[in-house]
Amino acid sequence: MSRNIRIFDTTLRDGEQAPGCSMNLDEKLELAHMLEALKVDAVEAGFAVASPGDFESVRQIALRLKNTAVASLCRAVPGDVETGWEAVKGAAHPMLHVFIATSDVHMKYKLKMPPERVLELTGEMVRKARGLCGEVEFSAEDATRSDRAFLCRVLDAAAKAGASTINVPDTVGYATPTEMAQLIAYLRENMEYAHKVRFSVHCHNDLGMAVANSLSAVQAGVDQVECTLGGIGERAGNASLEEIVMALRTRGDYFGAGCGVDTRQLFPACNMVSRFIGQHIPANKPIVGANAFAHESGIHMHGVMSNRNTYEIMKPEDIGITQNTMVIGKHSGKHAIEEYVRQMGMEMDAAQLANLTEEIKRLADVKNSVDRRDVEALIAAHRQPEYEDYALQRFIVNSGTSIPATSVVQVTHHEQEMKEVSMGDGPIDAAFGAINRLTGRDFALESYRIQSATEGGDALGVVDVRIRDGERSQRGRGTSTDIIDASIRAYLDAVNRFLAKERKA
Ligand code: KIV
Ligand code: ZN
């Protein structure tokens, strides 16, 4: 009989805390709803004590999700547990996730605590959490590098104090699949309370083994896997949710296990995350990369045309890519465009759809052929922040090998036309300088990335930027067949989002 594996998503906590992956409140709420539509079992909404913003996003997510458990992470510290509870207590299924490190190196150098104190705190804080919340998970940070006998004592203390889930993190992505399975087997055999708890794993991807380690743990008997969409997370990231889910679905025969995730939401959900964090999904990313279902070589194409089973072990439809054969162009149907929007994990009202249709038509006027990647790029850049303080009107750039680059950028700012000129180290630097002058701010360009949506000289350029002023940073995205236009739009998008966020704060 197939076992059901719980999927505990931590995109909004471990994923979001990774550099360059931050999301604003609206994005977090939209993603939380997407995770519920995906039918994950639990969502770790954040680390409530980390900041008032984190607290508020955990609280709001807790109030909104109806079927999915909502957890807040808490260190084994009374204030963390109390704040975590304040944030999740309005949830239909609240959960507290208490953790403390158990490896010698963490206890000695990070916690500066003797092992006996770690043991004591585990019992005290899990008991405190359990006094507030019906469902408590306990994690032994750096479990895979901890002394096994000590780990058993700590996990038993947590279970005895009321933790219903015992999570075993491979915090630094150090374990191998065989070791992971052996550790789970050891804990199941040697923990006094093993039969009373649900076992979980949480694997990082430093050596590229996070998914393999998680699946190996499933084979060794864990009931829950913690993972993130697209595998985003600290350093090399966490185990990819979509890879675990599709491995269970495709090789359920081998793992003897499955899960309740609605796989048709995987593609939209991963695209939503990519759009929110401004990072492209690599083309060769398993399951959701652009090439995951592409067959270029003649032999493969011929095989797939004769029988899909020759080279396809999964169907694109299973992850939410419908085979859309429409020709995208001036006469594209409203329904086809709506379907693309859905696949990108977005919702648009009638006005936004009409706007997008116009953009697609304009693109079809300048580009020989428009395919789904162009449409996806336009959709991904389409989202407007709540307030568009600065809207691009026009720009002029002047640049060459023997003249300093200059740029004039004209915008409307609250219905007023403004323009500024600036010199720079190349046309893009000059244009960004002009925008800084328009805003009266000294935004620093922290990162700049350009990628073309398709092949060919007339391809859409997709620019992602990150700007910073003081403590705060913000990403932005712009697309255009002209890379300077795309860059200016990306910078203005970042500025508008930055100002909206600043006002909210
Ligand atoms: O990687 C880790 O150890 C964690 C814990 C807090 C669960 O993220
Ligand atoms: Zn982690």
Side-chain angles (χ1 to χ4, degrees):
M1 238 230 337
S2 178
R3 289 187 302 131
N4 181 52
I5 305 300
R6 273 171 63 90
I7 300 295
F8 177 110
D9 179 274
T10 182
T11 310
L12 287 161
R13 199 277 296 170
D14 219 338
E16 208 262 347
Q17 81 188 40
C21 293
S22 61
M23 297 175 220
N24 63 33
L25 178 62
D26 292 339
E27 290 166 340
K28 287 181 187 174
L29 292 175
E30 213 177 315
L31 182 56
H33 283 292
M34 173 57 97
L35 288 164
E36 183 152 79
L38 196 61
K39 296 199 171 68
V40 302
D41 299 277
V43 162
E44 188 163 46
F47 188 9
V49 83
S51 71
D54 283 48
F55 177 87
E56 193 50 20
S57 51
V58 177
R59 195 182 72 83
Q60 297 237 12
I61 292 168
L63 291 175
R64 281 169 166 81
L65 299 196
K66 296 290 163 251
N67 307 313
T68 316
V70 178
S72 174
L73 184 68
C74 323
R75 288 166 301 181
V77 171
D80 278 35
V81 174
E82 285 150 19
T83 307
W85 174 242
E86 282 306 309
V88 297
K89 69 180 183 193
H93 307 282
M95 204 175 155
L96 288 175
H97 179 189
V98 179
F99 79 101
I100 193 163
T102 51
S103 65
D104 289 346
V105 65
H106 275 240
M107 289 189 291
K108 185 166 178 194
Y109 296 104
K110 188 182 79 172
L111 297 176
K112 299 186 173 39
M113 271 181 207
E116 290 309 312
R117 181 67 190 133
V118 167
L119 191 62
E120 243 169 51
L121 268 179
T122 299
E124 281 169 23
M125 289 305 116
V126 170
R127 204 163 301 112
K128 180 173 175 70
R130 193 61 182 74
L132 296 167
C133 183
E135 170 116 41
V136 175
E137 167 170 320
F138 174 76
S139 286
E141 192 187 10
D142 208 13
T144 53
R145 293 193 303 163
S146 302
D147 174 80
R148 281 186 178 186
F150 178 65
L151 183 62
C152 259
R153 289 175 68 206
V154 173
L155 298 182
D156 264 330
K160 198 169 163 191
S164 48
T165 303
I166 291 297
N167 185 39
V168 182
D170 183 27
T171 304
V172 290
Y174 182 75
T176 67
T178 310
E179 283 172 337
M180 203 70 207
Q182 283 167 349
L183 178 58
I184 299 300
Y186 175 88
L187 295 173
R188 290 181 70 198
E189 247 171 63
N190 292 285
M191 269 176 65
E192 192 187 333
Y193 283 79
H195 58 289
K196 293 217 163 139
V197 295
R198 169 196 290 150
F199 280 97
S200 165
V201 282
H202 172 113
C203 300
H204 279 267
N205 206 27
D206 299 64
L207 293 172
M209 292 191 277
V211 169
N213 285 341
S214 307
L215 292 169
S216 184
V218 165
Q219 284 185 286
V222 302
D223 312 293
Q224 174 177 287
V225 170
E226 301 196 353
C227 42
T228 61
L229 287 165
I232 66 167
E234 288 280 11
R235 307 177 311 279
N238 290 59
S240 281
L241 181 148
E242 66 281 8
E243 294 178 28
I244 288 171
V245 166
M246 288 313 286
L248 291 176
R249 180 184 167 121
T250 312
R251 296 307 315 274
D253 59 328
Y254 178 73
F255 293 110
C259 67
V261 166
D262 177 357
T263 62
R264 288 162 309 166
Q265 305 296 334
L266 288 173
F267 189 70
C270 289
N271 274 291
M272 182 183 275
V273 171
S274 148
R275 190 156 44 79
F276 287 172
I277 65 173
Q279 290 182 18
H280 293 264
I281 300 175
N284 64 341
K285 175 94 180 63
I287 320 295
V288 290
N291 292 348
F293 293 96
H295 302 282
E296 286 282 339
S297 93
I299 296 175
H300 286 203
M301 267 202 262
H302 179 244
V304 168
M305 277 158 72
S306 312
N307 183 329
R308 283 171 79 164
N309 286 334
T310 48
Y311 287 98
E312 273 186 11
I313 57 166
M314 297 167 271
K315 293 205 272 310
E317 303 87 280
D318 293 344
I319 63 152
I321 307 177
T322 47
Q323 292 303 6
N324 212 325
T325 49
M326 71 158 190
V327 178
I328 304 153
K330 289 183 205 169
H331 310 294
S332 295
K334 184 168 157 271
H335 293 301
I337 293 173
E338 269 173 8
E339 178 53 20
Y340 273 101
V341 170
R342 188 200 66 76
Q343 285 181 33
M344 293 295 292
M346 291 185 74
E347 276 174 25
M348 283 189 183
D349 59 25
Q352 287 173 310
L353 268 174
N355 212 309
L356 174 68
T357 309
E358 279 314 305
E359 277 184 51
I360 293 172
K361 286 181 183 168
R362 268 200 302 277
L363 183 65
D365 281 337
V366 292
K367 209 169 170 283
N368 278 338
S369 71
V370 177
D371 74 21
R372 65 174 298 139
R373 292 167 297 168
D374 293 303
V375 179
E376 284 169 6
L378 286 179
I379 295 170
H382 197 74
R383 203 160 181 275
Q384 301 289 340
E386 307 87 296
Y387 305 105
E388 195 178 26
D389 284 60
Y390 296 92
L392 180 66
Q393 289 299 302
R394 57 185 72 87
F395 68 88
I396 301 168
V397 290
N398 214 340
S399 133
T401 47
S402 48
I403 52 160
T406 52
S407 177
V408 185
V409 178
Q410 184 176 326
V411 295
T412 43
H413 177 52
H414 303 310
E415 290 169 15
Q416 202 186 329
E417 284 203 349
M418 299 168 73
K419 70 175 157 216
E420 272 295 348
V421 60
S422 176
M423 282 176 30
D425 187 11
I428 291 172
D429 186 44
F432 290 177
I435 297 172
N436 275 2
R437 284 178 168 222
L438 283 165
T439 60
R441 304 282 290 252
D442 196 16
F443 294 113
L445 181 66
E446 210 169 65
S447 72
Y448 175 94
R449 221 176 14 218
I450 182 160
Q451 204 172 308
S452 73
T454 55
E455 307 75 29
D458 59 0
L460 265 184
V462 182
V463 173
D464 285 288
V465 297
R466 181 167 282 277
I467 58 170
R468 173 171 293 278
D469 191 5
E471 285 295 291
R472 203 163 272 147
S473 79
Q474 179 60 51
R475 63 174 176 78
R477 177 176 281 190
T479 55
S480 170
T481 48
D482 173 331
I483 59 165
I484 296 176
D485 187 29
S487 304
I488 292 174
R489 287 179 191 281
Y491 200 85
L492 281 171
D493 185 38
V495 166
N496 285 328
R497 286 172 188 271
F498 188 101
L499 298 175
K501 207 154 108 179
E502 200 171 57
R503 266 195 301 272
K504 259 192 181 168

